[in-house]
Amino acid sequence: MSDKQLTFYALCGSQRRASTNRALLEALRTAAANGIAIEICELIGDLPIFNPDREGALTPEIVERFAEKIRLADGLIVACPEYAHGIPGGLKNALDWLVSRSEVPFKPVMIAHSSHRGELVLSQLTEVLTTMSLRVVADAFVQLPLVGKTPQAQNALLSEAKSSGLLQEALRRFAETIGRP
């Protein structure tokens, strides 16, 4: 087994700085064991609207940077709220830019969810990711009910998830699918 550090690229469906999904991704990042690095994507909100006429030689530079981050990652972590019973437009747009590219097929993906509800978005997200040939690792799914709670209650839940090992265990199961315990 390799001693190479695993790198996970995390996509947040909410672009709000105070989003609970982002808080969950930040908690996963700080809970990551030695040998695992998590980078949270900061490009989604700046991507232009997907247009197939702008693929290939006409692909915008920011899309190329985004795709390169995906290519270099050993796996992806996606945290996504449910907006109007669906995937938020920014995240769906980002995924659309990747559909016909070579960076995503068979790349493992872990889904993190910061709500006690949202079954529709989880179903849709799983469908989109599997249609894109990403390998959704169901055993690594992590869910914490942060939505609707005060910042103090959110912090308490995130701290408990870290101290109990819940977040580390989800990351360990995800790393195992890539060949690293």
Side-chain angles (χ1 to χ4, degrees), residues 56-76:
L58 299 176
T59 301
E61 188 272 333
I62 191 168
V63 173
E64 294 290 359
R65 278 197 334 242
F66 175 64
E68 180 68 1
K69 293 278 190 179
I70 300 286
R71 186 185 70 74
L72 293 173
D74 296 300
L76 303 178

Side-chain angles (χ1 to χ4, degrees), residues 134-166:
L134 283 150
R135 186 168 45 99
V136 176
V137 180
D139 287 345
F141 176 72
V142 65
Q143 183 172 17
L144 284 178
L146 302 176
V147 169
K149 301 216 172 12
T150 65
Q152 295 81 8
Q154 289 176 22
N155 288 336
L157 281 168
L158 291 166
S159 292
E160 173 59 27
K162 281 193 254 183
S163 65
S164 73
L166 176 77

